[in-house]
Amino acid sequence: MGADRIIVALDVASMDLALAWCDRLPEVQFWKVGLELFTAVGREVVWELKQRHKRVFLDLKLHDIPHTVAKTCERLADLGVDFVTVHSCGGKDMITAATQALAGSHTQVVAVSLLTSIASTQLVAELQINLPLANYVAEMASLAEQSGAQGIVCSPQEIALLRSHLKPQTLLVTPGIRLASDQLDDQKRVMTPKQAITLGADYLVIGRSILAAADPQQAWQQCQIALRDS
């Protein structure tokens, strides 16, 4: 598994900071642009990353009526991002609208099964979903796959389950990755890089474990070693 399967989350709020990280970690080939950075800077940050020949995971978690999501995806098609996220709970029509709007482009639709910040107790008490968390994730992932999504975002805890339920070619993109020495912060369902890869993740999304490390270059190297040893 190559280093381009590690997606480093650019969870910063300015173009200067984003490009400074690219300069500091030139070996990183795949960067995540999330809501914070995209809201602060807009499409320009994607163009800058593409000028540097980087892959881009545009993590906007689109969730709206199908027409609005389709029109948004049409606007994103010319950016050339590799992945864009939608929420699976938006339903079949919304996910299908996204995939159809991006058909023929370079961009693949990746559906978020359930935020990694949500615990099983919250699923019942706050979202009023009376299914075991793993069952709910499996249902949402299957719905997204049937609706044309090329990949699923899931926590490391659901990798093995989804590998047994989904088509082999469906990508699993896994946030909630922490090095063994890290604090969990607001993530509830986490795992180390080696554990996630061993279970069958295709891509790992890693943010604070690298960017907030005392030595980000060393943390990046640790992640690569974990992949080589898997």
Side-chain angles (χ1 to χ4, degrees), residues 13-31:
S14 74
M15 180 75 79
D16 287 345
L17 283 173
L19 297 184
W21 277 113
C22 289
D23 292 336
R24 189 172 181 181
L25 296 170
E27 302 95 337
V28 175
Q29 296 301 309
F30 209 156
W31 293 95

Side-chain angles (χ1 to χ4, degrees), residues 123-204:
L123 192 68
V124 177
E126 298 176 17
L127 303 184
Q128 298 294 298
I129 295 171
N130 293 310
L131 281 176
L133 187 147
N135 292 40
Y136 176 75
V137 168
E139 290 290 338
M140 290 296 98
S142 294
L143 173 69
E145 183 184 69
Q146 293 163 16
S147 304
Q150 292 96 344
I152 305 296
V153 178
C154 67
S155 92
Q157 303 296 332
E158 290 90 49
I159 296 171
L161 173 66
L162 296 189
R163 271 283 161 249
S164 68
H165 276 68
L166 303 177
K167 298 173 184 176
Q169 64 267 31
T170 298
L171 301 172
L172 294 185
V173 181
T174 309
I177 300 299
R178 293 285 187 270
L179 297 176
S181 58
D182 292 340
Q183 296 194 9
L184 298 185
D185 298 307
D186 56 354
Q187 303 278 10
K188 300 294 197 312
R189 299 170 358 258
V190 302
M191 197 171 281
T192 67
K194 184 174 182 178
Q195 290 170 327
I197 292 301
T198 300
L199 288 172
D202 293 293
Y203 293 91
L204 307 180

